[in-house]
Structure formats: C-alpha cells, structure tokens
Amino acid sequence: MRRILVRLPNWLGDAMMARPLLASVRASFRDASITAVGPRTLLELLATDASWDEAMPWPLPAGGMGRLRSPRAFAALVLPPSFSSAWFAFRTGAALRAGFAHEGRSWLLTHAERRRARGDLHLSREYLALGRAVGAAEGAPPGPLAPTPAGRDEARALLGADTRPVAVLGPGATYGPAKRWSAERFAEVGRRFAARGWRVLACGAAAEAGACEEVARECGGESFAGRTSLEGLAAICAGAAAAVCNDSGLAHLAAAAGAPTVAVFGSTSSAWTAPLGARAAVAQRPPVCSPCFARTCRIGYRCLVAVSPDEVLAAVDRVAAPGGRVA
Ligand code: SF4
C-alpha cells in the first residue's frame, strides 16, 4: 500500500484552512495509507474528518522517525513554511516532497512551490497547490467539522442546563493589537446578543483572560478563557447561534464547526486568510495602508476603528440561523 505523509500546520487557524487539502488528498488516494504529523491537539481536533489513517504527534515520540521511514512514503506534503519541517520531510526519505519555497529550504523539496504575494491566493488554495504537485485533485470542500465525543462531553459539562442560544465572542488575538477590535465594541455586540436572550461566552486561551473577562463583565456574559480544550471549544461553536471573533484561530475554528461566524480583520488580509465555512463572513474596512500585516500601528488602528458593531451585527444576521446549542 502506498504511503503519504502530511506535516500539518502548527497553528489552529492554518490547520482549519488545510482541511480542503486534507479532504482532497484522502479522496484522491483512497488506496493509500495517509499519516498526519502535527501537534497532538490539532490531530485530536481534526480526527472526526477521517482524512488520515494514522496520526503521529509532533514533536515526534521516541522511535517516531523510524516508523515514518518504514515503509517509505511516496509523497510528503509539508504545510509549515519552516526549514525544520522541510528537513523533517527530507529525513523521512519520501520520494516526492512538496512544500512552499521558503527560508532556503527548497533543496530539501522535490516540489518547491513559489508563493504569490500574500492575499493573491487564499491560503487554503495555496495548500491545495501542494496537493496538486503530488497528484491530488481538488474535490468538494469539506463540510462542517464534527465535534469529537470528548468535545461534546466537555461542552455539555461546561454549558450545564442553561438552554439559551449561545453566542461566542473571541476578543483575543495573540498576533498583536493590530488584530484586536476593541473590548468595548465586543461588549457592545455582546449586549445586543444578550438583549436577544442569548447567553454570551467570551472565549479564548488562558492568556486572553484579561480581554475575555473585560468583555464578559461589560455585557453581562461569562468568560470561558482558559476553561476549554480545542475540542470542547469546537463543540460549543458547533451549537452556537453566532460567533464574533478577531482574525484568530478561534474565528477559523468557529467557522469550520459551522457556527455563523463573523471575523473582524485589522492589519491582515482577508483575501488570504478569511475563515472558511458556508456561514462565515468578514468585517473589514481596509484603509489605503491595508494590509500592512503589522502587529502594532503608528497611525491609530484606523482599520479596526472603522469597523462598527452595527455592521458586525448586520453580518451576523446575514449568516446566522436562529438559536441552537450543543446537540
Ligand atoms: S497601518 Fe493601516 S492597516 Fe496597518 S494597522 Fe495601521 S491602520 Fe491598520
């Protein structure tokens, strides 16, 4: 049986944008054995897509490289742009090695794909180009990411007996302030959701507790920062009435899980990294300086200030269906 290795992205948002590639590789090589290599949390989160036969955590466990080298893969897809990930693929001995030409690593790859300027092509399509390099044909986009059983259990325990529709707010973004819409505006959106009778949850990592607690306090919601695993968060999002997030991993997760999702973009390019999903939308009012991809801004964050709570709520209503929570 032919073997294919896929080195997944390390970041949550990138991993969600890799789902079309993973689905196309699975559909194109039904007879192959696919091994995914990536952070354990992402492997567990994406397990319900059934896009691979075997998962290997990264960093590799003892003996991991030996297991990846035998049997030798006919193709390795390298999604991270780092030198180390190309070196990893080279060491596996895979006959075909496809990845982005980057960081002086092209000599390690048999198919080094030149990237266009950021935003010329959505990142998911850049990933699909890597699949084409080894013979994978683009197929139908994947459906919503199904919650894992563990995620469902966690979400049920966290949400308890409260049956109100849930709204997820994601006011964090580790990238920097140029990706963060203000807490006041998130709180305004939260108050408007609460006025609809919705339960407002400000979600994020433990490091985002400050922003989540401020938003929750100002809109009468709850902070779930640091209280959820990715699987639990995905299950909450899968049943949410709406999600409003910065351009962050949470926005991608919510959109992939099927929540009506609006992502607020600041300094970055929505043409490159808009969340994927049938019910996902972007709120962005780019000034002439956009996208600058800066983490901080010297001219007053005009890109973020220009996005109003009213237009975010209008976008929510365009993509949202009524009510809902974890099944
Ligand atoms: S320079 Fe422009 S695009 Fe960049 S963060 Fe500032 S206002 Fe936004």
Side-chain angles (χ1 to χ4, degrees):
M1 181 182 281
R2 291 193 302 173
R3 187 181 203 192
I4 300 173
L5 306 179
V6 183
R7 175 67 173 89
L8 298 178
N10 294 318
W11 295 96
L12 172 60
D14 294 354
M16 295 300 106
M17 289 183 276
R19 292 180 66 230
L21 167 69
L22 296 168
S24 76
V25 172
R26 176 75 284 171
S28 299
F29 300 104
R30 287 267 168 224
D31 61 337
S33 175
I34 299 172
T35 301
V37 181
R40 186 182 296 276
T41 52
L42 297 180
L43 293 170
E44 291 169 351
L45 177 69
L46 288 166
T48 53
D49 273 350
S51 294
W52 53 71
D53 304 283
E54 181 193 11
M56 178 86 70
W58 181 269
L60 296 178
M65 181 54 78
R67 300 213 305 274
L68 294 173
R69 287 179 62 86
S70 178
R72 190 157 297 195
F74 93 90
L77 296 170
V78 185
L79 278 58
S82 62
F83 182 91
S84 61
S85 58
W87 176 239
F88 154 78
F90 182 81
R91 289 179 60 218
T92 66
L96 304 177
R97 301 178 300 279
F100 300 125
H102 201 54
E103 280 190 15
R105 65 181 204 162
S106 297
W107 64 277
L108 296 167
L109 304 168
T110 60
H111 295 73
E113 293 288 316
R114 289 205 174 282
R115 306 185 85 170
R116 300 196 215 169
R118 287 182 289 188
D120 276 4
L121 202 60
H122 193 270
L123 181 56
S124 63
R125 304 209 67 79
E126 291 191 280
Y127 288 149
L128 283 164
L130 299 183
R132 278 198 301 277
V134 300
E138 182 178 345
L145 176 66
T148 63
R152 282 187 188 278
D153 290 346
E154 181 183 322
R156 283 201 190 95
L158 280 167
L159 295 175
D162 192 329
T163 58
R164 287 176 294 167
V166 164
V168 171
L169 299 182
T174 51
Y175 186 80
K179 269 196 179 188
R180 289 187 211 127
W181 206 37
S182 72
E184 295 79 27
R185 292 187 180 193
F186 271 103
E188 173 61 17
V189 169
R191 281 190 290 273
R192 307 270 282 274
F193 285 153
R196 299 176 180 187
W198 293 3
R199 182 180 180 186
V200 179
L201 308 179
C203 297
E208 294 160 344
C212 289
E213 285 165 10
E214 181 182 352
V215 169
R217 187 172 57 246
E218 294 300 319
C219 71
E222 301 157 66
S223 171
F224 272 25
R227 294 176 58 193
T228 58
S229 69
L230 287 183
E231 292 174 77
L233 200 45
I236 290 172
C237 290
V244 174
C245 309
N246 287 320
D247 168 26
S248 63
L250 177 53
H252 291 277
L253 180 63
T261 301
V262 175
V264 178
F265 270 70
S267 69
T268 50
S269 165
S270 57
W272 191 36
T273 57
L276 300 177
R279 299 199 293 171
V282 163
Q284 184 171 32
R285 289 197 172 269
V288 290
C289 44
S290 170
C292 71
F293 295 99
R295 295 174 190 271
T296 59
C297 179
R298 296 181 178 178
I299 59 170
Y301 299 97
R302 292 175 197 172
C303 51
L304 290 166
V305 171
V307 178
S308 72
D310 280 342
E311 70 183 287
V312 167
L313 286 157
V316 166
D317 289 337
R318 277 199 302 277
V319 295
R325 56 162 299 173
V326 176

